[in-house]
Amino acid sequence: MALQLVQVNMKAHDPERVGRFWAEALGWEVSVEGPGVLNLEPVGFDWPDPSAVCIDVVASSEPKTVKNRIHLDLASTSRAHQEETVARLRELGAEPVDVGQGDDVPWTVLADPEGNEFCVLDPREVYRDTGPIAAVVVDCADPRAMARFWGEAVGWTVREVADDHASLRSAQGVGPYLEFVRTPDAKTVWNRVHIDLLPRPATERPAELDRLKALGATEIDLDAGVPWVVRADPEGNEFCVLGRAV
């Protein structure tokens, strides 16, 4: 395996505003990669490293029309910490949002200043060492099949799998989880939030693209002139295979 899950890519009308929100929400630092592109990483982070999945916020004029199929779950260490986190995030500009979760769930669903949904989880032992991001969560129709594809794609270990959910974590046992949750909603539009993978070394990208195709990934047409390649997983979720060397 020579692909590493390195970051979550978020599209934004105002990347500076969204980037500032998430940097303050996570206690991370923000840097400008280029026009309309902000990188968010833990302070002192040596990218890439499996101990964290970073965030890229990228300018886009496309409107948000549906619930995101990929979102972040944030960890908490106690009920008091969960409540404090929710209050702090609301002061930063987050708003409560109803995604059909009901009134009796122990987590809180919020949306960032551009409506990107995320959850502040109740304290759970399984997330005690993940850092502020407990999990990257993907809505899907078949969690078992998605866990097989993504586990093979990035070499992560399947920690739990059932008909309605599955979870993976890096083979090193660090950083956030990658989770799949069965939902009835079908994918209808290009995802505003997606996953980016990095081939290591960069020269392995052609072989990795062939491997992804054999696993069930499909090609996505994109305008030429960019250093990354776009593919889709078996349920049509777009992801990028980056072209940056390390």
Side-chain angles (χ1 to χ4, degrees):
M1 192 281 296
L3 284 173
Q4 183 175 338
L5 198 169
V6 290
Q7 61 200 25
V8 170
N9 183 298
M10 293 184 178
K11 298 297 187 289
H13 293 154
D14 186 345
E16 290 190 2
R17 183 186 183 200
V18 174
R20 286 195 304 271
F21 170 84
W22 281 103
E24 293 187 39
L26 302 172
W28 287 5
E29 57 188 6
V30 58
S31 60
V32 178
E33 180 179 321
V37 182
L38 299 182
N39 301 142
L40 282 65
E41 301 177 350
V43 176
F45 186 72
D46 186 14
W47 190 92
D49 187 279
S51 63
V53 172
C54 300
I55 297 175
D56 261 15
V57 182
V58 180
S60 173
S61 61
E62 293 295 323
K64 183 180 187 298
T65 58
V66 299
K67 173 181 174 289
N68 291 339
R69 294 188 67 79
I70 298 178
H71 73 266
L72 301 180
D73 280 354
L74 305 188
S76 69
T77 57
S78 66
R79 287 290 186 179
H81 180 232
Q82 181 187 17
E83 293 173 0
E84 291 165 1
T85 299
V86 169
R88 181 173 63 85
L89 294 173
R90 294 199 63 179
E91 290 179 357
L92 292 174
E95 294 289 343
V97 62
D98 184 356
V99 294
Q101 70 270 21
D103 297 326
D104 58 351
V105 297
W107 59 87
T108 301
V109 184
L110 300 174
D112 73 13
E114 289 202 3
N116 297 301
E117 304 87 358
F118 65 96
C119 298
V120 181
L121 299 180
D122 49 297
R124 305 181 192 183
E125 182 66 18
V126 67
Y127 302 129
R128 69 188 184 283
D129 60 351
T130 60
I133 299 177
V136 179
V137 183
V138 183
D139 291 351
C140 65
D142 189 343
R144 291 183 182 274
M146 290 286 276
R148 285 194 298 270
F149 172 83
W150 281 99
E152 291 278 353
V154 299
W156 281 24
T157 302
V158 176
R159 295 298 185 94
E160 186 177 5
V161 64
D163 290 340
D164 59 351
H165 70 278
S167 66
L168 293 76
R169 201 180 191 193
S170 73
Q172 296 90 339
V174 296
Y177 287 75
L178 178 61
E179 299 183 350
F180 303 95
V181 178
R182 188 173 66 184
T183 61
D185 303 324
K187 183 179 185 294
T188 57
V189 299
W190 185 282
N191 288 343
R192 289 182 63 80
V193 180
H194 70 257
I195 290 169
D196 285 345
L197 308 181
L198 180 72
R200 304 191 72 187
T203 54
E204 291 295 309
R205 188 168 75 170
E208 288 302 304
L209 293 175
D210 288 342
R211 187 172 67 86
L212 288 169
K213 183 177 181 180
L215 292 174
T218 55
E219 297 183 13
I220 300 292
D221 289 334
L222 193 69
D223 292 338
V226 296
W228 57 85
V229 175
V230 182
R231 294 291 185 266
D233 70 19
E235 293 203 7
N237 297 297
E238 305 86 5
F239 63 93
C240 292
V241 181
L242 303 179
R244 290 177 288 190
V246 297

